[in-house]
Amino acid sequence: QITLGRATKDNQIDVDLALEGPAWKISRKQGVIKLKNNGDFFIANEGRRPIYIDGRPVLGGNKWKLNNNSVVEVKF
């Protein structure tokens, strides 16, 4: 599993999105990418801002299956 978000001294994550833009707009745990037993990857949005997968918004509390070459965007 890979965690996307904003790192703090008390919260370590795998991909620090705060390095790409305004840190205060990113949740500490914005999203999590997981590999399922069948080989599929899913992303779960655990933040307040939508995560865009191939241009489609995935709102907080929802998950989406990632396809080969999917584009994942977190807009600031």
Side-chain angles (χ1 to χ4, degrees):
Q1 118 176 352
I2 297 172
T3 306
L4 313 169
R6 174 173 44 94
T8 64
K9 67 179 182 175
D10 299 326
N11 182 50
Q12 296 302 312
I13 48 115
D14 300 307
V15 179
D16 188 358
L17 298 173
L19 299 174
E20 300 297 322
W24 59 273
K25 291 186 175 184
I26 298 296
S27 296
R28 285 184 297 264
K29 193 171 182 183
Q30 182 68 47
V32 178
I33 298 174
K34 292 184 181 180
L35 173 62
K36 299 294 183 177
N37 290 337
N38 65 1
D40 290 339
F41 284 94
F42 281 84
I43 187 165
N45 185 348
E46 298 187 5
R48 286 179 280 154
R49 293 186 167 276
I51 295 175
Y52 292 85
I53 309 299
D54 298 325
R56 294 186 178 129
V58 178
L59 302 177
N62 293 296
K63 64 181 178 179
W64 193 267
K65 181 183 176 205
L66 297 174
N67 297 310
N68 189 31
N69 294 323
S70 283
V71 175
V72 177
E73 297 177 276
V74 179
K75 297 183 180 183
F76 300 97

